[in-house]
């Protein structure tokens, strides 16, 4: 069997369970991924053996064993770099208030598969008899790229509303399309997602955004109304026009920016969660700042400021890591800065500030700004790209001349205290910031110039330097 050759761990485990008088099945996403030719190092199994017996079977074989999920019938183990989870047949019931299952052990593989989220995850391989098991049409759904549920979707989602988000996540990761009855159930039951904790929602959204087709997943969330509960700022962007009159609404523009940002990612690196979130959310401040101007125009003044605040608030509510929240908010805040560049009128001081304000996010900001060019006017698009080419060239030149990666005042805190004869405290910080502003405006100063500027600032602020 090809699967056993790809992952020897499968065959080794199967022999141990068979010898102990039990059956072992590769199941769920592991079977789906094996059929798609993308079997990973994490494998899922189910068995008729009870958890205590599973522990005995894997003891002495696994490099490590853990039983943190044993209350739900799951034993985890690892061997040779492969992680496995082995779960006893389950037959779950839910209280349909929380999403906590009442676990009872089942007796058949068919019953175990029926409780799973989607038919493409409800296939199994009987490793004892090397037999493929597909009672709910998972293979047909896989070949058709269709997401459907083994049971009625209303029952499946009532048991666990997180499955609605998983549908959108699988559309993103696998490029599949949810069956009409699944979409209808999601639309009718969207508010049930409020039963799910923010932490669990964030995990699914992260996987969705980092999938191969995140636009597809986002569109399903918006079309079914789920986004109104988990990311309401995104459907709020469905305005009639934007300020350029080039797109049906800001929402569709943002999806195009998301696609174009992904195209600019490094193909040898993992998906960039921060860049993708910033691309999707960069214009979420527009609905709150939209103003209809005389003559039929529309403006969105300071939407980047409002958008940064909204992005920070939403991502915090979803329990995203602090660094992700701050990086996305900063990119949203800075994304419009380039549009003041015009035809290269920026001074070197303005370029320094652009680089300094972006900091480590500068490579992502470059990609976001380029992705934000979605005009259908080819000449205008080419002009914008040329302008940004020019800005990047100026950044490279100034960086080479002045070490822009480490813009610091020409005097450090110790030198400031010595020259002004002051102790550590807020005054030192004020002097340091003044010198940094000079550095940004004028570039590097000689030591004599920096000392003269510091002494001038001190006198203007009532600080009398010690006599030499």
């Amino acid at each position: 069997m090809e699967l056993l050759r790809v992952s020897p761990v499968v065959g080794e485990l199967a022999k141990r369970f068979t010898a102990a008088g039990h059956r072992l099945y590769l199941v769920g996403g592991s079977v789906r991924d094996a059929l798609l030719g993308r079997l990973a190092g994490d494998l899922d199994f189910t068995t008729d053996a009870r958890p205590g017996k599973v522990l005995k079977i894997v003891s002495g074989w696994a490099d490590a064993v853990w039983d943190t999920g044993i209350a739900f019938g799951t034993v985890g183990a690892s061997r040779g770099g492969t992680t496995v989870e082995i779960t006893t047949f389950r037959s779950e019931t839910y209280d349909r208030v929380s999403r906590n299952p009442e676990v009872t052990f089942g007796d058949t593989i068919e019953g175990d598969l029926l409780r799973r989220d989607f038919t493409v995850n409800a296939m199994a391989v009987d490793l004892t008899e090397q037999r493929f098991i597909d009672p709910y049409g998972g293979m047909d759904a896989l070949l058709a790229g269709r997401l459907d549920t083994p049971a009625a979707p209303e029952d499946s989602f009532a048991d666990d509303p997180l499955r609605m988000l998983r549908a959108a996540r699988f559309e993103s990761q696998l490029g599949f399309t949810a069956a009409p009855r699944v979409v209808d159930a999601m639309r009718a039951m969207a508010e049930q997602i409020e039963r799910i904790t923010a932490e669990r929602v964030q995990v699914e959204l992260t996987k969705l955004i980092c999938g191969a087709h995140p636009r597809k997943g986002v569109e399903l969330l918006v079309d079914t109304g789920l986004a109104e509960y988990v990311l309401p700022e995104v459907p709020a962007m469905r305005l009639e026009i934007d300020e350029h009159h080039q797109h049906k609404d800001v929402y569709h523009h943002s999806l195009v920016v998301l696609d174009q940002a992904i195209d600019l990612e490094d193909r040898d690196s993992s998906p960039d969660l921060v860049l993708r979130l910033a691309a999707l959310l960069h214009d979420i401040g527009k609905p709150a700042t939209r103003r209809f101007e005389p003559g039929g125009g529309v403006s969105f003044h300071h939407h980047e400021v409002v958008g940064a605040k909204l992005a920070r608030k939403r991502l915090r509510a979803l329990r995203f890591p602090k660094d992700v929240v701050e990086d996305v908010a900063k990119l949203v805040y800075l994304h419009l800065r380039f549009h003041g560049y015009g035809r290269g009128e920026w001074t070197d001081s303005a370029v320094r500030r652009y680089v300094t304000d972006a900091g480590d996010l500068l490579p992502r900001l470059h990609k976001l700004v380029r992705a934000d060019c979605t005009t259908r006017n080819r000449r205008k698009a080419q002009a914008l790209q040329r302008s940004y080419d020019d800005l990047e060239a100026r950044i490279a030149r100034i960086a080479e001349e002045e070490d822009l990666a480490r813009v610091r005042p020409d005097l450090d805190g110790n030198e400031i205290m010595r020259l002004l004869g002051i102790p550590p405290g807020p005054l030192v910080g004020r002097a340091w910031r003044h010198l940094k502003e000079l550095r940004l405006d004028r570039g590097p100063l000689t030591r004599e110039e920096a000392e003269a500027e510091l002494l001038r600032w001190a006198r203007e602020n009532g600080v009398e330097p010690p006599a030499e």
Side-chain angles (χ1 to χ4, degrees):
M1 193 176 185
E2 180 66 11
L3 183 60
L4 304 185
R5 185 190 66 78
V6 172
S7 183
V9 165
V10 175
E12 294 174 10
L13 263 182
K15 289 179 181 178
R16 294 182 72 88
F17 274 80
T18 300
H22 292 283
R23 305 184 83 88
L24 184 69
Y25 302 83
L26 189 71
V27 72
S30 293
V31 176
R32 179 199 70 222
D33 288 344
L35 292 169
L36 291 172
R38 42 178 278 176
L39 188 64
D42 298 331
L43 302 176
D44 294 322
F45 299 89
T46 189
T47 180
D48 59 339
R50 295 300 191 252
K53 189 61 178 291
V54 173
L55 281 172
K56 292 180 181 179
I57 292 172
V58 299
S59 295
W61 169 83
D63 300 327
V65 177
W66 53 93
D67 61 1
T68 51
I70 202 164
F72 298 98
T74 299
V75 173
S78 65
R79 179 177 170 86
T82 298
T83 300
V84 303
E85 285 194 347
I86 307 166
T87 303
T88 302
F89 291 160
R90 293 196 303 204
S91 177
E92 297 169 347
T93 59
Y94 291 79
D95 58 19
R96 297 194 174 184
V97 176
S98 68
R99 64 173 299 274
N100 298 320
E102 298 175 6
V103 178
T104 57
F105 297 130
D107 300 313
T108 66
I109 183 64
E110 290 77 13
D112 183 88
L113 296 176
L114 179 62
R115 68 177 180 81
R116 296 180 180 267
D117 53 5
F118 300 104
T119 58
V120 293
N121 297 328
M123 298 178 284
V125 176
D126 183 338
L127 298 171
T128 304
E129 298 182 358
Q130 297 189 13
R131 178 173 58 95
F132 181 61
I133 302 172
D134 182 19
Y136 305 109
M139 178 62 84
D140 288 341
L142 192 69
L143 293 173
R146 182 180 66 251
L147 281 175
D148 205 347
T149 51
E154 292 79 6
D155 291 336
S156 182
F157 298 156
D159 282 346
D160 185 359
L162 189 66
R163 290 171 173 171
M164 294 187 288
L165 271 184
R166 285 170 63 85
R169 189 247 289 187
F170 283 128
E171 284 212 357
S172 170
Q173 288 184 323
L174 302 175
F176 288 5
T177 298
R181 70 171 191 157
V182 169
V183 174
D184 290 343
M186 292 172 67
R187 191 172 287 123
M189 302 176 68
E191 66 179 346
Q192 294 291 317
I193 200 65
E194 294 189 311
R195 290 163 45 192
I196 306 301
T197 65
E199 290 81 1
R200 297 298 302 278
V201 170
Q202 182 262 113
V203 169
E204 292 298 323
L205 282 177
T206 295
K207 292 178 180 178
L208 186 160
I209 295 296
C210 290
H213 313 277
R215 176 174 181 165
K216 192 172 174 65
V218 171
E219 288 177 326
L220 182 60
L221 292 182
V222 171
D223 292 345
T224 58
L226 269 172
E228 300 286 353
Y229 298 94
V230 299
L231 209 56
E233 294 80 6
V234 172
M237 290 190 289
R238 290 181 293 185
L239 306 176
E240 294 178 3
I241 56 175
D242 72 358
E243 73 274 32
H244 303 300
H245 298 249
Q246 295 295 318
H247 304 282
K248 182 180 179 182
D249 53 41
V250 180
Y251 164 66
H252 284 94
H253 161 74
S254 298
L255 294 179
V256 173
V257 174
L258 174 60
D259 285 340
Q260 295 185 166
I262 292 170
D263 289 340
L264 294 173
E265 287 181 347
D266 184 347
R267 295 303 176 197
D268 296 326
S269 301
S270 300
D272 191 334
L273 174 64
V274 168
L275 175 63
R276 294 182 180 202
L277 283 172
L280 179 63
L281 303 178
H282 76 284
D283 275 346
I284 60 172
K286 282 189 171 180
T289 58
R290 181 170 64 162
R291 298 291 182 272
F292 294 99
E293 305 292 348
V298 181
S299 67
F300 302 93
H301 295 309
H302 305 301
H303 76 267
E304 75 282 8
V305 178
V306 174
K309 292 178 180 178
L310 290 174
R312 183 177 288 108
K313 182 178 179 181
R314 177 56 53 194
L315 296 180
R316 282 176 177 169
L318 288 169
R319 305 294 192 270
F320 275 91
K322 182 177 179 180
D323 59 334
V324 172
V325 173
E326 294 307 315
D327 286 352
V328 172
K330 190 171 183 179
L331 286 171
V332 172
Y333 178 75
L334 292 173
H335 85 273
L336 207 60
R337 181 83 62 87
F338 163 72
H339 293 283
Y341 188 70
R343 298 181 180 177
E345 298 96 338
W346 276 11
T347 62
D348 283 356
S349 171
V351 175
R352 291 187 198 100
R353 290 179 184 279
Y354 188 78
V355 172
T356 301
D357 289 348
D360 293 340
L361 292 173
L362 185 61
R364 284 180 170 130
L365 183 58
H366 287 334
K367 294 173 184 176
L368 177 60
V369 172
R370 289 185 180 278
D372 195 25
C373 176
T374 62
T375 176
R376 298 174 186 174
N377 185 318
R378 181 177 298 179
R379 183 174 299 177
K380 183 177 180 181
Q382 290 174 343
L384 285 169
Q385 295 297 348
R386 282 196 301 269
S387 291
Y388 208 82
D389 289 342
D390 180 70
L391 175 58
E392 287 202 58
R394 288 183 67 188
I395 290 171
R397 173 180 60 77
I398 297 172
E400 184 176 356
E401 295 172 355
E402 302 178 11
D403 191 13
L404 277 182
R406 294 183 298 164
V407 173
R408 296 288 187 274
D410 297 279
L411 302 173
D412 65 19
N414 289 327
E415 291 171 311
I416 291 170
M417 289 187 286
R418 179 180 61 80
L419 288 167
L420 298 186
I422 58 176
L427 191 60
V428 178
R430 287 172 55 198
W432 188 92
R433 286 190 292 274
H434 171 71
L435 290 176
K436 182 177 179 181
E437 289 297 311
L438 282 177
R439 174 72 167 77
L440 289 169
D441 283 337
R442 293 165 48 181
L445 305 178
T446 66
R447 183 171 186 82
E448 291 74 16
E449 290 172 331
E451 290 183 358
E453 289 291 348
L454 175 64
L455 295 176
R456 183 185 60 77
W457 176 87
R459 286 190 291 271
E460 290 176 354
N461 286 272
V463 179
E464 189 61 37
E468 295 185 4

